[in-house]
Amino acid sequence: MTIDELVRRTLREWSAEADVPPGDLAGAALRRRRRNRLRMFAVVAGATATVVAAAVTVPALVHGEGPPGNDEPVVAVVAEPDPSRETAADPESSPPKTLVAAGGVAAYSFYTWKEEKISADRQVMKLTWSRYNRDSGVYERTPWAWLDVVRGGEAAVFLEEIPATRVGVLTGRGAEVRWIALERPASAVRMSPDATRLLLTNYSANPDESYIPVDNGQRGMPQSRIGFTVVDLDGGRSVFHAVAADQEAGFGGRNDFQWSDDGTLVWENHSSASTTRKYYDLEGKERPAPSREAETHQRAGLSPGGTRLAVESPDRSAIVGIQDLSTGETVPLAAVAGYWIEQAVAWADDERLVVWACERKGAQVCVGGEFRNRLLLVGLNGGEAVPLSGFRKNSQQEGESWTPVFTDR
């Protein structure tokens, strides 16, 4: 495959799916197989957590099956940030067995996916989550249907099933799980950047179900999203806001809400001539998009120092570009040390990026196909690329690929 062919294909697919920013190329393959339910899992589009409180008082958290409203406060100690900035890699494994981390970020969790038939004409997409265990030093599979790991890797929030009527809060190694009962069922949960609130996307039915295609035909499932709930962990306040899915946006299935970078707004994927995101305040009122934040589909987004933005390359010499926000100049980020860069995943620091990249030999780009790729640590000024994981399989079969979720260390 030539460079021009790869870039043209990628840009065409992004254009066709402009309402759903691709989390990774494996996800794009998944969407091509299931056009009737264009969707993006919240974990691949959301921003990473940035600040974690040392302790929070959570009056509304309750243990076991009881309803919220426990009068005795529960102090939930959240893990301190990991001070380490050393690179951790497992270049021979895909998915990794040991921690993948670089600079200020780490993949404390990852997920694989599998389509399961549930009736004669329906199927459901199920994610299998793995989480890094500091005690064992390896990733361990979890029983949870949805997971968001907080900065430092020890605290986490999760859902037992999709949809779920309660959310679990795990506050550290060996800590007891505390439960928050939900007024309306939810199918996704994310901790706020300052680790004081939860954002849950509410659905009346499982958004991961779809019809099985028959004779190459596609039938979309009814859209079931009903809104979002914000839970204030410190005060115990839980408020639901009704925001139905846009019936004209083309989303069949998931359209989860995400936190804005500073945690003051939430956003959803949206298809229009002017934007791919629609923003709301925490009261459910539509608000203008923050400057820069909605200007890119690259998952890495803004650099830690706020000086650079990972964007789409303005020409076909590359897929990824790095924009200097002081000058507005964008420099394509293409090949490095035998690899072709496909997506900017996370900033390790202001000078280094974690990226998905495929192998390149001479004029041949993406040896084995664009979905045979691995995580690399690359510098913006060139230099050696450091492999962080093994190569993902170049296959569209369920359960054969994985997606990392990077969080601040």
Side-chain angles (χ1 to χ4, degrees), residues 116-325:
E116 294 185 0
K117 185 177 180 179
I118 56 176
S119 69
D121 65 343
R122 292 193 182 191
Q123 57 194 2
V124 63
M125 176 64 67
K126 288 192 175 181
L127 304 188
T128 299
W129 289 88
S130 293
R131 178 172 174 243
Y132 179 67
N133 185 323
R134 289 185 184 276
D135 293 330
S136 65
V138 298
Y139 290 101
E140 298 177 354
R141 182 173 294 185
T142 77
W144 305 321
W146 196 271
L147 174 66
D148 189 30
V149 180
V150 183
R151 178 179 180 174
E154 294 186 2
V157 292
F158 62 90
L159 302 177
E160 301 169 284
E161 58 187 356
I162 301 295
T165 57
R166 65 179 186 173
V167 56
V169 181
L170 184 65
T171 57
R173 278 180 287 182
E176 190 175 39
V177 174
R178 302 291 171 173
W179 297 101
I180 304 172
L182 302 174
E183 181 182 350
R184 293 171 175 82
S187 295
V189 57
R190 288 198 65 83
M191 183 74 80
S192 65
D194 63 0
T196 64
R197 292 159 295 165
L198 301 181
L199 173 64
L200 297 112
T201 305
N202 302 106
Y203 293 87
S204 60
N206 190 338
D208 299 331
E209 287 190 19
S210 66
Y211 287 111
I212 298 174
V214 178
D215 298 328
N216 296 320
Q218 301 289 340
R219 295 179 294 164
M221 293 290 290
Q223 297 182 17
S224 61
R225 199 195 69 189
I226 57 176
F228 66 88
T229 297
V230 176
V231 178
D232 181 357
L233 293 177
D234 188 34
R237 184 169 177 256
S238 176
V239 181
F240 168 77
H241 300 288
V243 183
D246 184 353
Q247 299 297 318
E248 303 300 323
F251 296 103
R254 281 193 179 274
N255 190 9
D256 296 328
F257 288 97
Q258 324 285 336
W259 290 105
S260 63
D261 288 347
D262 64 3
T264 62
L265 302 172
V266 302
W267 58 269
E268 63 171 332
N269 290 304
H270 181 69
S271 178
S272 72
S274 59
T275 183
T276 59
R277 293 182 182 180
K278 185 184 289 187
Y279 284 80
Y280 302 85
D281 63 22
L282 301 188
E283 301 302 320
K285 297 178 181 178
E286 190 173 343
R287 297 299 183 193
S291 176
R292 305 289 185 186
E293 190 171 322
E295 296 179 10
T296 177
H297 288 325
Q298 295 297 327
R299 199 193 317 175
L302 195 65
S303 66
T307 59
R308 295 185 173 100
L309 184 69
V311 297
E312 285 68 62
S313 179
D315 57 37
R316 287 184 176 174
S317 67
I319 296 174
V320 180
I322 303 300
Q323 185 180 61
D324 185 327
L325 297 182

Side-chain angles (χ1 to χ4, degrees), residues 24 41-49 95-102 105-113 127-134 137-158 170 189-191 299 345-346 354 356 375 388-389 392 401-409:
D24 53 59
F41 297 115
V43 293
V44 277
T48 57
K97 298 175 182 177
T98 59
L99 184 65
V100 170
V105 295
Y108 290 119
S109 65
F110 67 81
Y111 66 89
T112 60
W113 60 83
L127 304 188
T128 299
W129 289 88
S130 293
R131 178 172 174 243
Y132 179 67
N133 185 323
R134 289 185 184 276
V138 298
Y139 290 101
E140 298 177 354
R141 182 173 294 185
T142 77
W144 305 321
W146 196 271
L147 174 66
D148 189 30
V149 180
V150 183
R151 178 179 180 174
E154 294 186 2
V157 292
F158 62 90
L170 184 65
V189 57
R190 288 198 65 83
M191 183 74 80
R299 199 193 317 175
V345 179
V354 177
W356 281 116
L375 289 174
L388 299 178
S389 74
R392 295 195 292 191
S401 195
W402 60 281
T403 298
V405 183
F406 281 89
T407 306
D408 285 358
R409 297 169 89 174

